[in-house]
Amino acid sequence: SSPWSHHLGNVAIHGAVVIAVLELLLLLLGHSGAALLGALLFGLHPAHSETVYYVSSRSESLAALFVLLALILHIRSACDGRGRTAGHLATVGAFVAGLLTKSTAIVFLPLALLVDILARPGMWRRRWQAHVSHAVVAAAYLIYTRDLLAKATLSAPVRSFTEQFWSQLKGVVYYLQLLALPRDLTVDHQFQLSSGPDTYAASALLFLGSALFMCFMWRSSRPMVVLLAAWFLLALAPASMVPLNVIINEHRIYLSGVAFAAGGAWLTAHP
């Protein structure tokens, strides 16, 4: 088939993700202006260009779409008492579709729980059955893919756990830099491995530790900030925990970019 059709498909999926981001931010922030700003920031951010232009990155945007759709359905089903069962089944269906698209969609499991804990306090206790069903789906997927996961992490990893940990620790800060200052974007970043707490890795640990401490202090006064910070880290976790051949890829920050854009939107509504 012609290349243009694949690119058109990627653009259409990205457009659907932007609409999903807008809807989710409306539900989370309750501010139409901020939600629109966040959706535009995500949709037009240069760091997401690889996901849209690079045809083989379609699984990233498609998985993100299903995760966002599952979150939207999860929140809506809690508000609609009569349609709660149907809404929950639709949520599980979107979650399964995401997992069948890409394993990174498993982040829906902790994200849905954090939304109910931080954005809607007390809701997780009333909806524990829904979270149990999400956990069952995730467990079934992990069992189904256990051989592949074991090979990637235990029997034949491409690098040691120590190298993976310290390199990806730097990677988190590097991804933040790409989102804050999207310069020198490329499909092949020259990123050096760290086999221990060298200067850059130790600095990254100090920076992230300080940020997590601030989030802990803000857990009551600014729960949305804590939610978005956790979202950013959780969305990066699957690719960071499993050693992959390429250390850094821009398409891996696609779902994390939703949290980054939402943070900018939140600041406009809560200066």
Side-chain angles (χ1 to χ4, degrees):
S1 58
S2 301
W4 70 266
S5 61
H6 295 286
H7 289 295
L8 180 61
N10 278 19
V11 172
I13 293 171
H14 181 63
V17 172
V18 173
I19 294 173
V21 170
L22 174 61
E23 178 62 25
L24 182 61
L25 293 187
L26 284 171
L27 293 171
L28 292 178
L29 303 180
H31 190 290
S32 58
L36 180 60
L37 177 63
L40 289 174
L41 176 59
F42 173 82
L44 300 176
H45 201 291
H48 301 319
S49 57
E50 179 184 306
T51 307
V52 181
Y53 300 149
Y54 202 33
V55 173
S56 63
S57 294
R58 177 177 299 178
S59 60
E60 196 76 52
S61 55
L62 196 56
L65 177 61
F66 286 127
V67 169
L68 295 173
L69 179 60
L71 284 171
I72 292 169
L73 292 169
H74 175 72
I75 296 172
R76 282 183 172 177
S77 64
C79 302
D80 186 1
R82 293 175 299 176
R84 182 170 296 180
T85 301
H88 176 60
L89 291 175
T91 300
V92 172
F95 184 28
V96 171
L99 289 172
L100 293 176
T101 302
K102 193 167 187 177
S103 59
T104 53
I106 202 168
V107 299
F108 166 74
L109 175 64
L111 285 180
L113 182 59
L114 285 173
V115 165
D116 282 353
I117 292 174
L118 296 170
R120 303 180 302 161
M123 183 61 71
W124 69 274
R125 292 188 181 91
R126 297 193 293 272
R127 303 203 66 202
W128 65 268
Q129 299 98 329
H131 295 291
V132 169
S133 65
H134 300 159
V136 169
V137 171
Y141 177 79
L142 290 175
I143 292 172
Y144 179 74
T145 58
R146 64 186 183 278
D147 292 338
L148 181 61
L149 290 173
K151 180 179 179 181
T153 58
L154 299 174
S155 61
V158 297
R159 68 184 63 88
S160 69
F161 173 79
T162 301
E163 288 179 322
Q164 180 69 10
F165 174 78
W166 290 107
S167 299
Q168 290 302 325
L169 198 65
K170 293 191 305 180
V172 173
V173 179
Y174 189 73
Y175 286 137
L176 276 171
Q177 176 188 320
L178 286 179
L179 288 168
L181 297 170
R183 300 180 303 172
D184 302 322
L185 301 178
T186 175
V187 296
D188 186 19
H189 287 270
Q190 300 302 307
F191 194 83
Q192 299 298 317
L193 281 171
S194 288
S195 57
D198 55 35
T199 301
Y200 295 108
S203 299
L205 178 62
L206 181 61
F207 173 80
L208 293 174
S210 301
L212 290 174
F213 176 76
M214 292 301 298
C215 288
F216 177 78
M217 298 298 293
W218 287 341
R219 67 190 186 281
S220 299
S221 59
R222 297 179 177 87
M224 187 58 62
V225 174
V226 180
L227 171 61
L228 296 178
W231 180 318
F232 183 86
L233 294 175
L234 285 169
L236 289 174
S240 299
M241 294 172 63
V242 179
L244 301 172
N245 289 318
V246 180
I247 306 174
I248 294 294
N249 267 137
E250 291 171 15
H251 66 78
R252 294 176 191 166
I253 58 176
Y254 191 72
L255 188 56
S256 292
V258 176
F260 182 84
W266 182 87
L267 285 174
T268 63
H270 303 82

